[in-house]
């Protein structure tokens, strides 16, 4: 009798399945949150067991780190693909759609690019005299700067504005964002070409947040809510999104 | 990069090509990665090779770590286990390993003493392990630390495959319950 994916859950966490069985379990877990939770528990138990075992001597030779360090030495820009491979990610959707039809996507998501003059007037009025605020205000009025409005893809009226200078330095004018719980944070993402990169972890109650994006043409920005400290790739929906149509 | 930096912040920093962040991750977890790899592949050289691969993989693909799904250490050890298993299941390594195993006495059941579990330093985890039956402990040890599939475990223990996979699953669930009760797991 063929074992069910549930039967194989424990063996899965111990890497004790063949490839076909492992894929069966993974496919089943994608559609079954209960099974996915059980797998997560088993994997955590396995990791604890691994940590509990002490072997002596358990220290790798210094040459291991030296080899790692040498291997990354020449990599000024590692080939990091920030686009999450998992489905249901706004990153995947955004990047895929930007690649084929940026204009159409902009229309679908109701991206609003606010008239620049009106933005500047509104923003400078709101600015405080904090050094970061002043820097942002300078950026807003600097030649070549671009002010964009990130809109709620769900269609609400909520927006966040952001100014980006020609030098790649920017400021999220995020003081209107509602405060999150202390274990959460807002995170800013830049879409550079067909890649989504983290542009900054903004904190749970951000004011004006500076950031810098180096290299490449920026085709969009997004803000997500994440666990405190930020994540490398987001699985959450964008709260605010701007795409360069 | 301080020792207080969170796993998530470390991963984000690694994603920004911060070598100090990778060094910090290595300082925190390199020995554990190496120890697990060595336990499975039973060779210092191969374990060092695995360790190097694991941290280079973290450098190149930091997005594979999701802090909402667990700790960086757990992620790295899971990765280490998988890579070590791949290594020993490679045909050449398997042959050498089988030759080594052939000189050992056939294995049936084992108590905590005389097995890998005797190396468990944590009193809580040792206590949790004592809640398992000897059959469950043996099946989990052979699968996890010897890198056998559950079918191979069944053959080694002379027990039906269905029985072994049930024991593994039941044992893992029981461990989770015990580790939670003892405060080791949330």
């Amino acid at each position: 009798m063929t074992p069910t994916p549930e039967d194989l859950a424990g063996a899965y966490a111990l890497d004790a399945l063949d490839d076909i069985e492992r894929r069966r379990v993974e496919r089943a877990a994608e559609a079954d949150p209960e099974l996915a939770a059980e797998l997560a528990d088993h994997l955590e138990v396995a990791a604890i067991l691994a940590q509990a075992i002490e072997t002596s001597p358990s220290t790798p030779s210094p040459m291991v780190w030296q080899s790692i360090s040498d291997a990354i030495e020449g990599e000024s820009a590692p080939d990091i693909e920030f686009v999450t491979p998992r489905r249901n990610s706004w990153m995947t959707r955004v990047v895929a759609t930007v690649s084929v039809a940026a204009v159409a996507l902009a229309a679908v998501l109701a991206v609003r690019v606010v008239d620049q003059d009106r933005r500047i007037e509104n923003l400078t009025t709101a600015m405080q005299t904090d050094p970061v605020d002043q820097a942002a205000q300078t950026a807003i009025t600097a030649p070549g700067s671009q002010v964009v409005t990130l809109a709620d893809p769900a269609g609400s009226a909520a927006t966040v504005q952001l100014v980006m200078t020609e030098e790649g330095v920017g400021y999220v004018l995020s003081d209107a964002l509602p405060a999150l719980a202390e274990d959460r944070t807002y995170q800013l993402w830049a879409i550079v070409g067909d890649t989504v990169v983290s542009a900054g972890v903004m904190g749970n109650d951000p004011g004006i947040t500076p950031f810098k994006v180096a290299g490449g043409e920026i085709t969009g920005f997004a803000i997500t809510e994440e666990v405190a400290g930020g994540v490398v790739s987001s699985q959450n929906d964008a709260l605010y999104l701007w795409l360069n149509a | 990069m301080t020792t207080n930096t969170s796993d998530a912040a470390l991963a984000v920093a690694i994603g920004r090509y911060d070598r100090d962040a990778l060094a910090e991750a290595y300082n925190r977890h390199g020995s554990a990665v190496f120890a697990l790899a060595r336990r499975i592949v039973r060779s210092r050289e191969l374990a060092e090779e695995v360790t190097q691969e694991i941290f280079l993989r973290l450098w190149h693909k930091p997005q594979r770590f999701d802090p909402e799904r667990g700790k960086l250490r757990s992620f790295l050890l899971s990765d280490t286990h998988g890579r070590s298993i791949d290594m020993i299941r490679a045909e050449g390594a398997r042959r050498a390993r089988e030759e080594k195993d052939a000189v050992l006495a056939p294995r049936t059941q084992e108590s905590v003493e005389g097995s890998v579990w005797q190396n468990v330093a944590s009193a809580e985890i040792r206590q949790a392990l004592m809640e398992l039956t000897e059959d469950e402990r043996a099946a989990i040890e052979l699968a996890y630390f010897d890198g056998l599939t559950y079918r191979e475990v069944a053959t080694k223990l002379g027990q039906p495959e269905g029985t072994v996979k049930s024991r593994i699953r039941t044992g893992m669930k029981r461990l989770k319950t015990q580790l939670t009760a003892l405060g080791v797991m949330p």
Side-chain angles (χ1 to χ4, degrees):
Chain A
M1 191 175 71
T2 305
T4 67
E6 288 75 14
D7 291 337
L8 299 172
Y12 173 89
L14 302 182
D15 287 320
L17 302 179
D18 62 34
D19 289 344
I20 294 172
E21 290 170 326
R22 189 173 65 242
R23 282 195 290 273
R24 262 187 66 214
V25 173
E26 288 170 351
R27 277 200 302 272
E30 283 179 10
D32 182 353
E34 198 172 323
L35 176 59
E38 180 178 341
L39 292 181
D41 283 347
H42 290 333
L43 287 167
E44 190 68 17
V45 169
I48 287 173
L49 292 179
Q51 294 172 60
I53 302 304
E54 288 189 348
T55 56
S56 58
S58 60
T59 306
S61 85
M63 290 306 296
V64 175
W65 172 250
Q66 189 59 52
S67 297
I68 294 169
S69 185
D70 290 347
I72 66 177
E73 181 61 35
E75 298 185 27
S76 56
D79 181 22
I80 294 180
E81 178 56 71
F82 278 84
V83 181
T84 174
R86 296 188 202 126
R87 285 175 287 179
N88 302 323
S89 159
W90 65 267
M91 289 183 171
T92 305
R93 293 197 307 271
V94 164
V95 170
T97 315
V98 164
S99 301
V100 295
V103 175
L105 181 66
V108 168
L109 295 177
V111 171
R112 282 171 285 180
V113 180
V114 179
D115 172 73
Q116 178 123 348
D117 290 340
R118 197 177 73 234
R119 283 198 305 263
I120 292 171
E121 181 184 344
N122 293 343
L123 293 170
T124 50
T125 302
M127 287 297 175
Q128 305 299 312
T129 54
D130 177 274
V132 175
D133 293 356
Q134 289 178 343
Q137 187 169 352
T138 301
I140 288 170
T141 54
S145 288
Q146 185 181 16
V147 179
V148 300
T149 296
L150 287 70
D152 177 3
S156 79
T159 61
V160 173
Q161 292 183 310
L162 170 158
V163 57
M164 186 81 187
T165 68
E166 282 186 319
E167 292 76 33
V169 175
Y171 300 87
V172 186
L173 312 174
S174 43
D175 44 351
L177 284 171
L180 301 172
E182 287 191 356
D183 60 347
R184 308 295 295 173
T185 185
Y186 291 105
Q187 188 161 354
L188 176 68
W189 304 88
I191 303 165
V192 183
D194 61 355
T195 302
V196 179
V197 298
S198 172
V201 178
M202 300 164 61
N204 68 319
D205 188 13
I208 293 177
T209 308
F211 65 93
K212 184 171 184 178
V213 179
E217 181 185 357
I218 296 173
T219 54
F221 286 103
I223 293 173
T224 60
E225 179 186 331
E226 308 292 349
V227 66
V231 296
V232 178
S233 67
S234 177
Q235 295 301 302
N236 297 324
D237 289 336
L239 302 174
Y240 301 92
L241 181 66
W242 170 80
L243 294 173
N244 187 5
Chain B
M1 197 59 55
T2 72
T3 53
N4 294 325
T5 306
S6 71
D7 283 350
L10 263 188
V12 169
I14 290 169
R16 290 176 172 167
Y17 326 139
D18 184 338
R19 291 163 199 226
D20 289 342
L22 187 68
E24 176 63 23
Y26 184 84
N27 286 337
R28 289 184 194 180
H29 310 303
S31 291
V33 165
F34 174 73
L36 178 60
R38 190 173 187 194
R39 178 64 186 81
I40 297 169
V41 301
R42 300 180 188 180
S43 154
R44 183 175 185 90
E45 291 71 27
L46 289 178
E48 290 188 342
E49 189 180 318
V50 170
T51 304
Q52 185 175 331
E53 283 185 31
I54 294 304
F55 283 94
L56 285 176
R57 200 183 292 188
L58 177 64
W59 174 258
H60 288 116
K61 298 282 182 188
Q63 73 277 19
R64 292 175 60 246
F65 167 60
D66 181 349
E68 294 212 7
R69 294 187 173 200
K71 296 175 181 173
L72 180 59
R73 193 180 188 87
S74 300
F75 166 79
L76 291 173
L77 289 174
S78 175
D79 224 15
T80 301
H81 190 264
R83 182 65 193 102
S84 301
I85 295 295
D86 287 346
M87 195 170 270
I88 62 168
R89 286 183 186 166
E91 199 53 36
R94 174 181 286 276
R95 268 200 300 275
R97 182 181 170 77
E98 284 171 353
E99 286 168 9
K100 186 187 288 183
D101 284 351
V103 302
L104 302 174
R107 186 166 179 170
T108 52
Q109 296 177 354
E110 287 193 51
S111 62
V112 169
E113 287 70 31
S115 75
V116 66
W117 307 125
Q118 70 183 337
N119 293 318
V120 172
S122 158
E124 289 84 2
I125 296 174
R126 179 173 275 268
Q127 186 180 338
L129 284 165
M130 293 308 294
E131 296 298 319
L132 305 187
T133 66
E134 289 187 359
D135 285 332
E136 289 168 346
R137 278 196 298 267
I140 290 171
E141 177 185 343
L142 285 169
Y144 195 65
F145 290 105
D146 286 10
L148 303 185
T149 66
Y150 75 89
R151 290 194 171 90
E152 292 170 325
V153 172
T155 301
K156 192 131 187 164
L157 295 177
Q159 296 170 350
E161 290 177 5
T163 302
V164 167
K165 73 174 183 285
S166 294
R167 283 178 177 156
I168 289 175
R169 187 185 184 199
T170 307
M172 295 294 280
K173 283 185 172 179
R174 214 196 304 251
L175 276 174
K176 153 80 175 165
T177 302
Q178 290 300 317
L179 291 170
T180 303
L182 293 165
V184 179
M185 279 182 76

